[in-house]
Amino acid sequence: MKIFQRLSDNSLPIQWHHLLFFSLLVAIIPHTGFYFDLNNDWPRWSYYAFENGLSQIYNSDTNYMPFYLHGLYWFGKLQGSKELIYANSYQLKYFFLLFDFGCALALAWALRKYYSIKFAEYLLLFNLGYLYCTVIWGQLDSMPTTMVVLGIICLFERKMLWAAFFCTLSIYVKLQAIIFVPFFVIILVYQLFQKFDRWILLKMLGISLLTQFFLLIPFITGGTFWNFIKVVRESVGFFPRVSWHAYNFWYLVVKQDPTLLNDTLPFAGLTYKKWGFLLFFGSSALVFIPLLFRTYIFARFKKIADADYYALLWLTAATIATLFFFVNTQMHERYSYPAIALYFAYALISGQYSLFALVSVAHLANVDGMNKYFGLNPYKPEYTALLFGLVLLISFIKLLGFAKNLKREYTQQAKN
């Protein structure tokens, strides 16, 4: 009874209706998914670890980071046999679904003082674009996204040890989370200027090292650590195509099918891959300008970050996530997924939901346009690419609005 009484307490992030909705999704979730992952690679790697031990899983052909391989190992142990591992591989979706819920609840709970609408988390949890990767596709994109979101929240709220844990874990879930490291650093610098504490820094370093040690120790002791390093080193270039079904910039500028073009081929003086890097890092430098200068102002004048700064932080992170998907080569159709949660955070603080709605539709059009489970996208990929381009255009306009106020804000703070 005490458990149910606590769950009815509105001061808690998890409510009884969250558990009810989660149970409903578990009951109706399809037992099918993307075959090559859910019914082939993942059960095969799980069984390999079950037979040979977790420490030897990097002797298989896996190219995944350690956190998920720990999960596959324990999934195999719980199933107990090869037959059950393959027959019940769809149950991995339940694990991913925990992170979908965790991300939605964490954002709704952490940002609750910035908005007034009730049940805000269901804007994500009823969002088909947000749930598609887990419920239909059977992919783990919710895991690194949740770690990144928790890392940003904890850093902003000065929960520094938890921040070190989640920021470290995000990289060891999926290497693409490395694009959010600048955000971790920027917020950390802001917090250190607010109150410098060398012991906190040392503790954060210790937490990070312990997290990495726990994840890597099986492979270090099992003699497969260098196989892990090889996976990290070869992660860029594993799918050397201009696009791997990501309906992005390349569908607008290339006449051929981007999925059939090797990204090491020349294009306008450089390779496609180098153009992708140049476009990403060049445009990212512009995107970061408002956030960097506002952080400098807040740090120099010891000003407490306000709602506008927090909104700028989430908008910048969402724009970077969309840019990463939109201009780089080798992008999969799912790689715009983190932008949904990040634009959702921006929407909750700013009260402006257009970008969140647009990116949700664009992401759904891309993943179902490739997977064709619902047949929701009968249009050419170029139309979806244009929709992502519109999301970026609006984001740049909003960032420009933030940038215009920087000089006036600096002058005002200097006078005070």
Side-chain angles (χ1 to χ4, degrees):
M1 288 297 294
K2 289 183 178 180
I3 294 177
F4 288 104
Q5 287 175 355
R6 291 193 66 189
L7 287 175
S8 66
D9 183 356
N10 289 329
S11 65
L12 293 175
I14 300 176
Q15 300 292 310
W16 64 268
H17 48 85
H18 299 141
L19 297 177
L20 183 63
F21 186 50
F22 182 87
S23 301
L24 175 63
L25 286 177
V26 167
I28 66 174
I29 201 167
H31 291 189
T32 57
F34 187 60
Y35 173 82
F36 293 101
D37 290 331
L38 200 61
N39 301 107
N40 182 45
D41 287 345
W42 294 347
R44 180 162 49 84
W45 297 337
S46 181
Y47 178 64
Y48 189 95
F50 176 75
E51 282 284 287
N52 301 284
L54 173 61
S55 65
Q56 301 304 306
I57 196 169
Y58 276 115
N59 281 331
S60 69
D61 63 339
T62 185
N63 62 331
Y64 275 58
M65 294 295 282
F67 180 84
Y68 185 52
L69 298 183
H70 279 259
L72 286 180
Y73 169 72
W74 285 108
F75 175 76
K77 294 287 284 185
L78 288 170
Q79 298 300 323
S81 70
K82 180 179 182 179
E83 292 74 21
L84 288 175
I85 289 172
Y86 275 84
N88 296 329
S89 61
Y90 71 90
Q91 293 177 3
L92 289 166
K93 289 184 176 183
Y94 306 156
F95 181 56
F96 306 150
L97 195 59
L98 289 172
F99 290 90
D100 286 294
F101 271 73
C103 184
L105 296 180
L107 285 171
W109 176 254
L111 307 182
R112 63 194 183 279
K113 64 182 178 182
Y114 300 107
Y115 65 89
S116 58
I117 61 174
K118 292 184 177 180
F119 308 117
E121 62 273 22
Y122 285 105
L123 293 175
L124 273 181
L125 296 178
F126 287 166
N127 186 325
L128 185 56
Y130 178 71
L131 288 180
Y132 194 102
C133 282
T134 291
V135 175
I136 305 301
W137 197 277
Q139 261 289 351
L140 54 79
D141 297 80
S142 61
M143 293 167 57
T145 300
T146 301
M147 299 303 174
V148 167
V149 164
L150 290 173
I152 291 175
I153 289 172
C154 289
L155 277 169
F156 192 82
E157 299 291 339
R158 205 175 174 86
K159 309 293 184 183
M160 306 299 274
L161 301 187
W162 281 110
F165 173 71
F166 288 122
C167 293
T168 302
L169 208 56
S170 67
I171 306 298
Y172 280 85
V173 176
K174 198 166 189 177
L175 198 58
Q176 285 88 338
I178 200 169
I179 66 170
F180 297 105
V181 168
F183 295 95
F184 302 152
V185 174
I186 289 169
I187 311 173
L188 178 61
V189 168
Y190 160 76
Q191 292 291 6
L192 292 178
F193 270 91
Q194 292 296 314
K195 182 182 179 182
F196 181 79
D197 189 332
R198 76 176 75 177
W199 294 113
I200 285 291
L201 275 178
L202 290 174
K203 289 177 181 178
M204 290 180 72
L205 178 61
I207 291 293
S208 178
L209 292 175
L210 281 174
T211 302
Q212 295 179 67
F213 179 78
F214 175 79
L215 291 170
L216 294 176
I217 189 60
F219 316 117
I220 295 171
T221 58
T224 57
F225 175 75
W226 293 111
N227 291 0
F228 156 70
I229 296 297
K230 182 181 178 182
V231 165
V232 173
R233 190 173 61 246
E234 296 179 353
S235 60
V236 177
F238 194 82
F239 294 103
R241 294 290 183 270
V242 171
S243 175
W244 205 253
H245 304 290
Y247 299 165
N248 57 14
F249 170 76
W250 297 107
Y251 276 87
L252 300 175
V253 298
V254 175
K255 293 182 179 180
Q256 304 97 311
D257 184 348
T259 64
L260 302 178
L261 276 176
N262 194 302
D263 70 348
T264 60
L265 292 173
F267 177 75
L270 295 173
T271 65
Y272 289 100
K273 184 178 180 179
K274 288 181 179 178
W275 271 117
F277 284 147
L278 183 64
L279 288 169
F280 176 63
F281 287 109
S283 53
S284 294
L286 295 175
V287 169
F288 271 110
I289 288 174
L291 180 63
L292 286 172
F293 272 88
R294 286 214 77 194
T295 303
Y296 169 74
I297 293 171
F298 280 41
R300 176 173 178 178
F301 299 106
K302 300 285 181 137
K303 183 180 177 183
I304 302 299
D306 54 14
D308 283 343
Y309 178 84
Y310 210 10
L312 174 60
L313 174 65
W314 291 110
L315 176 60
T316 306
T319 307
I320 291 296
T322 310
L323 271 174
F324 178 75
F325 165 86
F326 191 69
V327 298
N328 277 304
T329 61
Q330 304 184 24
M331 291 292 104
H332 288 249
E333 65 290 317
R334 310 177 322 275
Y335 285 6
S336 60
Y337 172 88
I340 300 177
L342 298 172
Y343 277 120
F344 174 65
Y346 169 71
L348 289 182
I349 299 175
S350 67
Q352 302 173 33
Y353 290 83
S354 58
L355 285 170
F356 168 60
L358 285 171
V359 81
S360 298
V361 172
H363 176 79
L364 179 59
N366 199 155
V367 290
D368 198 64
M370 187 273 174
N371 193 44
K372 297 180 171 44
Y373 186 88
F374 292 113
L376 295 174
N377 184 12
Y379 305 105
K380 291 182 178 180
E382 291 84 349
Y383 292 106
T384 304
L386 286 171
L387 190 54
F388 278 115
L390 178 61
V391 169
L392 284 173
L393 176 62
I394 296 172
S395 298
F396 272 96
I397 292 172
K398 290 183 179 294
L399 288 168
L400 181 62
F402 280 104
K404 286 181 177 179
N405 297 323
L406 289 173
K407 184 176 180 180
R408 184 177 69 237
E409 185 176 3
Y410 180 83
T411 304
Q412 183 179 356
Q413 291 298 321
K415 288 181 179 179
N416 295 337

